[in-house]
Amino acid sequence: GCNGTSSFDLDVVDTVESPFDLVSDPNPICIGDTVRITINGRPNAIYSWATNNTNAGLKISNANHNLMIPEKAGIYKVMVSQKHEKCQIASEPAEFEIKVNTLPRVSLGRDTIICELDGGVTLKVADYPEVRWNTGYTGTEMYVENKGKYTVEVMDENGCENKDEITIKEFCCKIYHPNIINLNSYTGNDNFKISHSGCVISS
């Protein structure tokens, strides 16, 4: 005559919706960045990732997050679907566009040599929203008269950064010659003789 009852919850799955709310970090994306992509999807689902271009550098993952290391700038399509782990019910793939920006172009040229007798050299970069030299200068053109290593960092309107550096060495070839000759001198000043600072190669 004893009675007992028990109950439990049943999770009935009929459909699995496409993932939604894609978040990428960093944002915006610059070439050279390692991008973390996160999808807000169904808990404990298995995810299938794909892309329209192998240059996207999309990694293999079954989770709701993935890594992407783009090899080139451009717009990439990323497709992702989720499948219920127990029922093997899969969603339609959701498609997202991810834009990868190029880096700003900056070039100070090859390492060079200056001479204090000739003056310095002007270093130039293009006009970007942010320009920072290692000297503290923030302009697009900087006149340099001293030897050393000079570095410039720039940032474009997309927030992408790039930098370049140049080493400037100093070397002067100094030529010496007498302006008076004493033909009756016994001290050796009776010849017109040109000397130099060791920079002339003679045979």
Side-chain angles (χ1 to χ4, degrees):
C2 299
N3 294 321
T5 60
S6 63
S7 63
F8 56 90
D9 295 330
L10 290 176
D11 185 12
V12 179
V13 178
D14 53 355
T15 60
V16 178
E17 296 181 352
S18 297
F20 55 93
D21 293 343
L22 177 143
V23 178
S24 63
D25 180 43
N27 191 13
I29 300 168
C30 307
I31 188 68
D33 289 340
T34 297
V35 187
R36 181 180 175 88
I37 308 171
T38 303
I39 292 291
N40 182 8
R42 186 180 183 89
N44 301 320
I46 298 174
Y47 291 82
S48 297
W49 296 81
T51 180
N52 68 327
N53 196 321
T54 56
N55 289 328
L58 188 68
K59 302 303 179 182
I60 299 175
S61 174
N62 292 325
N64 71 324
H65 56 270
N66 205 344
L67 291 180
M68 175 177 166
I69 307 176
E71 297 178 7
K72 295 182 179 179
I75 297 178
Y76 297 94
K77 291 182 180 180
V78 175
M79 291 74 71
V80 58
S81 60
Q82 57 180 334
K83 181 172 64 176
H84 193 275
E85 186 177 8
K86 303 296 183 181
C87 301
Q88 302 296 310
I89 300 175
S91 71
E92 292 295 325
E95 185 176 281
F96 304 93
E97 281 192 352
I98 296 180
K99 182 179 180 180
V100 180
N101 299 291
T102 58
L103 296 181
R105 299 187 64 177
V106 53
S107 176
L108 297 177
R110 297 181 178 180
D111 295 346
T112 188
I113 297 174
I114 62 174
C115 176
E116 60 181 8
L117 301 178
D118 299 328
V121 63
T122 300
L123 304 178
K124 299 179 181 180
V125 294
D127 188 13
Y128 288 105
E130 288 191 26
V131 178
R132 303 180 300 272
W133 298 84
N134 62 333
T135 60
Y137 184 61
T138 57
T140 58
E141 295 187 11
M142 184 172 65
Y143 186 71
V144 175
E145 295 181 286
N146 300 317
K147 64 180 180 179
K149 182 176 291 186
Y150 295 89
T151 305
V152 63
E153 298 181 10
V154 300
M155 178 187 293
D156 64 13
E157 60 277 0
N158 296 317
C160 298
E161 296 182 330
N162 202 359
K163 65 180 181 179
D164 193 24
E165 70 176 24
I166 185 173
T167 298
I168 296 179
K169 299 179 180 180
E170 186 179 55
F171 178 77
C172 295
C173 184
K174 298 180 181 180
I175 306 296
Y176 308 97
H177 61 85
N179 56 5
I180 297 176
I181 298 177
N182 187 355
L183 297 180
N184 298 320
S185 173
Y186 293 99
T187 61
N189 192 25
D190 54 358
N191 294 314
F192 184 84
K193 183 179 180 181
I194 297 177
S195 59
H196 55 84
S197 59
C199 55
V200 176
I201 300 176
S202 59
S203 58

